[in-house]
Amino acid sequence: MIDILDNTDTLDGRHGAYTYALARDRLGDHGLRMAVESGELVGFGRGVLVDARRVFDLRTRCAAALLLTDGVLVGPTAAALHGCAAIGGFPVHVRISYDQRFRSREGLVVHQGSLAPADTMVVDHLRVLIPEAAITEVLCTALRRTALACADETLHALRPDERAEFVSALQARLAARPDRRGTQRAAALLALATGIPASPAESAFLLVLTDLNVPRPICQYEVAGHRVAFAWPQCRVALAYDGDAPPKEVKYDALTNRGWLVLSADDQDLAEPTGLHSRLREALQTRRMAA
């Protein structure tokens, strides 16, 4: 196996991504040729190689993209690097200056534009948009469920007393965004983001409930020591999301014994919410709360 260690303080050589010049310096002409011919090193782009064992690793592909373009990781890739599990890091999105000439290709989406230095930071030797800028882009451009989930994940990682300030920063960025496409939708999604949902799926369910035009529930509501994904305390109706897990009968019994009506939702309801809408409307109407 090849022996090129990630022990450099520069990007070149980090995360299993190397310029051709560094690989040749480390391995020599013969060693480099053997590594390429055996498939241990594979080409990413002109003058950039990656360790074949790490070719699907997000940081490896990000490092290779930056070595190739000298750009900044943006959009969904930046959000993924900041810890958003709801969004995929592939293809890699990178922004370059207007004077550079790179085209998008499979696995790499190239954007041209300017960036203020204050909007970039370095994460594990990778140049990336700061969280405020990355989430603003995602709110404007990603699928609605994904965008809301990313906003919730980012807020969840903050202390509760920091969340309002972060939301205000996003609102200011949306108001000042030169490209107005998607900003109205982004503002509506941001109004739903709290950082309280326990998973991207719960964020998606909250958006489904909003689209169904039912009263907005309280997320992660606690009743008798048990938490439910969504609750309407005024009428004691709860919606529990179980995902792929079996129903939690003990928790349900604890709630029903206290006069709560508990509905269960799963991934099928997330994919097709018509049945959930009917059950929820009936439950809320039964408890004298029109939906």
Side-chain angles (χ1 to χ4, degrees):
M1 301 295 286
I2 59 173
D3 183 21
I4 304 180
L5 302 178
D6 290 357
N7 59 0
T8 175
D9 287 332
T10 66
L11 177 61
D12 196 357
R14 284 274 172 176
H15 308 299
Y18 317 94
T19 61
Y20 184 90
L22 178 66
R24 183 173 59 185
D25 179 67
R26 296 281 185 89
L27 299 175
D29 289 335
H30 176 73
L32 176 56
R33 183 171 63 253
M34 294 298 294
V36 172
E37 289 178 355
S38 67
E40 294 178 275
L41 284 178
V42 297
F44 181 86
R46 186 178 179 87
V48 177
L49 301 165
V50 297
D51 186 334
R53 297 167 298 182
R54 302 168 65 174
V55 69
F56 294 113
D57 180 78
L58 174 60
R59 280 172 167 75
T60 299
R61 297 185 69 86
C62 286
L66 295 181
L67 289 175
L68 181 67
T69 66
D70 194 32
V72 176
L73 299 163
V74 298
T77 305
L81 287 170
H82 285 303
C84 292
I87 200 163
F90 303 103
V92 173
H93 287 252
V94 63
R95 189 177 304 171
I96 62 175
S97 60
Y98 287 109
D99 60 348
Q100 291 181 278
R101 293 293 180 266
F102 286 98
R103 291 184 178 180
S104 298
R105 58 177 177 79
E106 185 177 1
L108 179 64
V109 180
V110 178
H111 309 267
Q112 285 188 302
S114 58
L115 275 175
D119 282 350
T120 65
M121 63 185 298
V122 175
V123 176
D124 205 0
H125 287 77
L126 302 170
R127 292 186 302 279
V128 60
L129 283 183
I130 62 174
E132 295 92 327
I135 298 303
T136 298
E137 286 193 357
V138 167
L139 284 170
C140 291
T141 60
L143 296 175
R144 293 171 67 237
R145 291 183 182 183
T146 302
L148 177 59
C150 284
D152 271 332
E153 284 187 291
T154 304
L155 289 171
H156 184 77
L158 299 174
R159 297 198 312 266
D161 61 331
E162 296 174 330
R163 293 172 184 171
E165 182 179 355
F166 189 84
V167 169
S168 295
L170 296 184
Q171 291 171 334
R173 285 179 175 273
L174 288 173
R177 188 172 169 86
D179 185 352
R180 304 307 299 163
R181 291 174 296 179
T183 53
Q184 186 173 357
R185 188 202 74 162
L189 292 172
L190 184 57
L192 295 175
T194 61
I196 297 176
S199 68
E202 286 191 11
S203 295
F205 259 113
L206 177 60
L207 187 57
V208 166
L209 296 174
T210 301
D211 289 343
L212 294 177
N213 200 32
V214 298
R216 182 170 176 173
I218 297 176
C219 300
Q220 288 294 306
Y221 191 77
E222 185 172 335
V223 182
H226 298 283
R227 286 189 177 274
V228 289
F230 306 103
W232 292 262
Q234 304 93 321
C235 55
R236 294 195 175 188
V237 171
L239 177 64
Y241 169 64
D242 293 319
D244 294 328
K248 301 174 180 63
E249 299 296 347
V250 173
K251 179 171 73 175
Y252 292 177
D253 289 345
L255 270 65
T256 55
N257 289 341
R258 288 166 172 77
W260 282 73
L261 177 59
V262 183
L263 304 180
S264 179
D266 56 23
D267 290 339
Q268 184 175 351
D269 292 308
L270 185 58
E272 176 45 66
T274 303
L276 172 64
H277 187 205
S278 298
R279 301 197 309 272
L280 187 55
R281 284 180 61 90
E282 181 180 355
L284 292 174
Q285 290 171 351
T286 299
R287 294 302 181 98
R288 296 182 178 86
M289 185 177 182

